[in-house]
Amino acid sequence: MDRRPTIADVAKRAGVSRSSVSFALNDRPGLAEATKRRILAAAEELGWRPSRQAQALSRGVAGAVGLVLARDTDAIGADPFFPAFIAGIESVLARRGDALVLHVTEPADEDATYRRLAADRRVDGVLLTDLRVDDPRPALTVELGLPAVVVGDPGGAGGLCAVGLDDRPAFAAAVRELAALGHRRIAHVAGPQEFRHARRRRESWELAMRELGLPQGPVLPGGFTAEGGARATRELLALVPDRRPTAVIYANDLSATAGLAVAQRLGLGVPGDLSVVGYDDTPLAEYTHPPLASARADALGWGAAAVRALDEVIAKGHADDVALPPAELVRRGSMGPAPDPRATTAPRATTAPGATTAPDAATAPDGTTATTATNVRSD
């Protein structure tokens, strides 16, 4: 049979009516067991498969989950978190033939995108990622009657189910480990402070530094990007030697990998002159030179758990928050003992195009300067 088999073909092969085929394929009562087995065997012989669109229409559902990302497309493509997270979503959806409806949009169009998804009934629910401070999306989805799950901590979920993990223990462990190795000047390259998870990571760094009695700073914005991480690293390494950090903790692996490369291009050894720690433990982290110490957060498992929680919200109207295992520090070769202050290597400014040239100050993108161990605020 060249064309796709239909219910009528199955009915003819089994010698029954089309309504009987429908009863059998949808596992509804009212058919003799022998008749049901004959219908299922006929469907198997013909290679019949259910139409997801038809099933969705019959159940009054879309058979799809929505994910709206208000980020630059280049940033999404470069950030290793999202491919793994989306793969986790698909690991659940693909088994049952459902779809992921992905929208990448400008922040100004975000509200309208959710309203269109709800009005067109294109999705059965949505996953809310990159939760921001005072984020309007939880309240918006409630207003629209659109089932939603927050991917992140429940603090900003507005009463919605939240699926998250605690990244604070990993940041605290990184600071403690570096302090135990003799580091006293531990900088932080932060993610965008409008994101709750970026702000939480920065606060975790600050708290751990304070608890250990270490000076607070400097901290510079890195934006979760390679460009931002490289720029911040050049600025940090332009500080005078007695204020220049001997270790840097980055908000994600992308900015950390760029920072590691910048340090090496400036002639600094990692970890001999500078220790580097990232976050996300992306697959490439163990293949950098030296291998990048990082905080492991299971992005793939996170995506799968978020979809399962959304399934429950769609079916029952609610679901309990899900706390995934906390992120843990993965110690690798980019962490080492603090350098002897009497033998600190001076960066080679000529090998870093665009590096700050002032001998005693690092200028942040917002125009502020870090001339002491005081935080350079990015928010």
Side-chain angles (χ1 to χ4, degrees):
M1 181 179 294
D2 294 331
R3 61 181 176 80
R4 179 174 176 170
T6 65
I7 285 182
D9 297 321
V10 176
K12 183 177 180 181
R13 173 68 66 92
V16 296
S17 66
R18 282 184 290 184
S19 60
S20 295
V21 172
S22 179
F23 270 58
L25 297 176
N26 289 289
D27 200 23
R28 295 170 60 185
L31 285 179
E33 191 60 33
T35 303
K36 181 178 178 180
R37 285 197 300 269
R38 190 167 73 251
I39 293 170
L40 295 178
E44 182 68 24
E45 291 169 6
L46 292 171
W48 180 88
R49 294 291 181 271
S51 164
R52 293 297 300 172
Q53 290 181 326
Q55 286 186 323
L57 287 172
S58 68
R59 301 196 315 265
V61 296
V65 167
L67 179 62
V68 179
L69 301 178
R71 282 201 189 192
D72 182 83
T73 52
D74 291 339
I76 294 170
D79 189 340
F81 173 83
F82 279 106
F85 180 73
I86 290 172
I89 295 172
E90 290 287 4
S91 72
V92 176
L93 297 182
R95 285 199 298 267
R96 64 194 192 210
D98 284 350
L100 173 65
V101 177
L102 175 63
H103 278 278
V104 179
T105 184
E106 296 291 333
D109 297 328
E110 191 177 47
D111 182 283
T113 301
Y114 284 103
R115 292 185 183 278
R116 283 196 301 272
L117 287 174
D120 297 344
R121 298 183 179 181
R122 294 185 58 195
V123 298
D124 301 310
V126 292
L127 299 174
L128 306 180
T129 63
D130 284 339
L131 202 67
R132 302 184 292 272
V133 178
D134 299 323
D135 200 309
R137 291 176 295 166
L140 174 63
T141 58
V142 172
E143 172 197 332
L144 297 173
L146 185 61
V149 161
V150 167
V151 178
D153 72 283
L160 298 179
C161 168
V163 178
L165 58 79
D166 193 351
D167 45 18
R168 292 171 296 184
F171 263 76
V175 174
R176 287 195 302 267
E177 178 85 5
L178 290 167
L181 290 168
H183 294 272
R184 294 296 176 266
R185 298 190 302 275
I186 305 172
H188 178 48
V189 173
Q193 292 300 288
E194 67 266 25
F195 293 148
R196 292 180 63 89
H197 58 293
R199 183 168 294 197
R200 187 175 60 248
R201 292 172 191 177
R202 174 172 161 175
E203 291 171 349
S204 301
W205 167 82
E206 290 176 344
L207 177 61
M209 297 285 284
R210 188 163 56 246
E211 289 177 343
L212 291 169
L214 299 177
Q216 291 285 308
V219 55
L220 287 174
F224 284 153
T225 67
E227 179 185 3
R231 181 176 60 247
T233 304
R234 287 193 294 267
E235 292 166 359
L236 289 170
L237 297 181
L239 292 167
V240 293
D242 62 347
R243 294 194 177 110
R244 192 166 66 230
T246 60
V248 185
I249 299 176
Y250 295 78
N252 74 345
D253 280 358
L254 190 60
S255 57
T257 302
L260 186 154
V262 164
Q264 292 172 331
R265 289 171 186 167
L266 288 171
L268 298 179
V270 178
D273 299 308
L274 182 73
S275 286
V276 174
V277 181
Y279 185 95
D280 283 332
D281 192 33
T282 53
L284 288 178
E286 62 180 310
Y287 297 105
T288 60
H289 180 70
L292 179 66
S294 187
R296 178 170 293 158
D298 181 10
L300 192 145
W302 204 343
V307 172
R308 288 192 290 266
L310 184 57
D311 285 344
E312 188 172 350
V313 171
I314 293 168
K316 301 179 181 178
H318 65 88
D320 293 333
D321 292 339
V322 178
L324 301 172
E328 59 180 337
L329 178 65
V330 181
R331 296 161 179 81
R332 293 197 181 98
S334 65
M335 292 178 72
D340 184 339
R342 295 167 297 181
T344 300
T345 304
R348 295 195 306 266
T350 56
T351 62
T356 303
T357 57
D360 60 351
T363 304
D366 61 2
T368 59
T369 59
T371 57
T372 68
T374 306
N375 287 352
V376 180
R377 294 289 175 179
S378 61
D379 57 341

